[in-house]
Amino acid sequence: MSRVAQFLFRRRGGKGWHWTDIVTWVWLVGGLFIMFGPAVWLVGSSFKSPAALAEFPPTILPYVTQKVTVEGFDKPLDLYEVTLPDGVKAKLAEVRRIGVVSQMIDPGNPGEVIKVNISQRSPVREMSFASENYTEPFTHFDFVRYLWNSVFVTVVATLITLVVNSMAAFALSKYEFRGRTVAMLVILATLMVPLSVIMVPLYSIVSALGLFNNLWGVILPTVATPTGVFILRQYMLTIPDELVDAARMDKASEWQIYWRIILPLTAPALAVLAIFSVVWRWNDFLWPLIVLSRKELYTLQVGLSIYSGELNVQWHFILAMTVVTMIPVVLVFIFLQRFITTGIAGTGLK
């Protein structure tokens, strides 16, 4: 632990603080808040009730106004700490509010109504986690079906993406043929074509193939990505051609060379592409929204839109299910993060 502390608090100026030390700490601490602050707020707000989400100023932790049961009232009443005209502070329950005047009673003596200006009261708060934000979508909104659809689309699309892109990268990196450079430039040029440009013809093709309202209609149009071909090709260029030549001398087929030699050596780049593919497919909203119109085929991102009505937005459900949608991506990143640096760094070598 002492070594960790020495590493964190080491200074460029020796015993004293150098100005670069201060700038570095400000930069790192500020970056920490910018990167993880929204995520912490999202997780904390996902356990809030709709009333707590509407409060201003907002809080990170899910605080709610404490309630008390009073004889003669069917529902529990909100409890407030009130400053009385004589300066004494008391805890009173609010019966109703009319304008800026709140009618309150003492829970121990509910017979007397005390009128208090709302500026003279403050709610008695307690921490409460609204776990129903997570349970109700799975029990009442068929969220398990949306989760399964997203998992199926993400896993299948990622596997096909890895196979298709690695085959293209293998051909563009290890085969010498006329127009290879031009073909690579054309593939990279498609990065400049936005989805909105090809959306109508792509929809026509999917509809003609009978893939409308089918999860395969979401999977197949996006399996070949120019980014994946570029990353894998650049990494495969670092593999010596002598390995391929030696395999051919040993009577290995092209498929065996690709499957047994190239793919295992390209594992870091494949892991990077897998992470990118999982993030792309899992967070995709526009294309599944266009292709899928049946509710039972919705993916998670499209399913979240059912909580956004024209007049009512159920933010507590949206925030909770957004946290659920983040978990698979975070897990994939945790398990494959050791390949990211190696894979990305290797794509720039030749």
Side-chain angles (χ1 to χ4, degrees), residues 170 174-175 243-264:
F170 175 59
K174 297 305 176 185
Y175 291 163
L243 290 176
V244 178
D245 295 336
R248 287 171 180 162
M249 294 179 62
D250 291 336
K251 306 298 183 181
S253 65
E254 297 301 313
W255 171 257
Q256 290 175 327
I257 295 173
Y258 161 76
W259 188 257
R260 295 185 178 182
I261 298 176
I262 299 299
L263 277 190

Side-chain angles (χ1 to χ4, degrees), residues 61-275:
L61 298 177
Y63 287 103
V64 296
T65 302
Q66 187 175 345
K67 295 184 178 293
V68 61
T69 302
V70 181
E71 185 180 355
F73 293 88
D74 297 333
K75 297 181 179 180
L77 304 178
D78 293 336
L79 192 63
Y80 290 86
E81 189 174 272
V82 179
T83 303
L84 300 177
D86 56 0
V88 178
K89 292 186 177 181
K91 291 184 178 180
L92 302 180
E94 182 182 64
V95 179
R96 66 179 58 89
R97 173 184 168 181
I98 303 176
V100 296
V101 178
S102 177
Q103 297 182 0
M104 317 191 79
I105 59 174
D106 185 353
N109 183 22
E112 180 183 0
V113 178
I114 304 173
K115 295 183 179 180
V116 179
N117 191 288
I118 59 174
S119 62
Q120 303 297 321
R121 62 166 196 178
S122 60
V124 179
R125 293 182 171 275
E126 63 180 358
M127 191 178 297
S128 176
F129 294 90
S131 58
E132 61 272 10
N133 293 349
Y134 287 87
T135 57
E136 287 192 17
F138 287 100
T139 56
H140 297 95
F141 294 98
D142 202 17
F143 209 79
V144 176
R145 168 59 60 180
Y146 305 152
L147 182 61
W148 163 250
N149 292 340
S150 283
V151 170
F152 177 78
V153 169
T154 301
V155 172
V156 174
T158 298
L159 293 177
I160 298 178
T161 296
L162 294 178
V163 173
V164 171
N165 290 352
S166 61
M167 286 183 175
F170 175 59
L172 292 171
S173 62
K174 297 305 176 185
Y175 291 163
E176 294 288 345
F177 58 90
R178 183 179 298 178
R180 185 178 73 167
T181 303
V182 176
M184 190 64 203
L185 291 176
V186 171
I187 292 175
L188 292 178
T190 59
L191 286 171
M192 297 182 290
V193 181
L195 177 62
S196 57
V197 174
I198 62 174
M199 189 180 301
V200 174
L202 196 60
Y203 177 83
S204 300
I205 294 173
V206 169
S207 180
L209 293 176
L211 297 178
F212 183 74
N213 265 332
N214 193 314
L215 292 180
W216 288 102
V218 180
I219 295 171
L220 294 180
T222 59
V223 293
T225 61
T227 304
V229 174
F230 174 75
I231 292 176
L232 295 178
R233 175 185 179 271
Q234 293 301 108
Y235 195 92
M236 289 180 184
L237 287 175
T238 64
I239 300 175
D241 293 337
E242 288 77 8
L243 290 176
V244 178
D245 295 336
R248 287 171 180 162
M249 294 179 62
D250 291 336
K251 306 298 183 181
S253 65
E254 297 301 313
W255 171 257
Q256 290 175 327
I257 295 173
Y258 161 76
W259 188 257
R260 295 185 178 182
I261 298 176
I262 299 299
L263 277 190
L265 294 175
T266 320
L270 289 173
V272 174
L273 180 58
I275 293 175

Side-chain angles (χ1 to χ4, degrees), residues 12-27:
R12 182 181 180 183
K15 294 183 179 180
W17 284 90
H18 193 265
W19 69 269
T20 56
D21 298 328
I22 300 175
V23 173
T24 301
W25 271 100
V26 172
W27 179 264

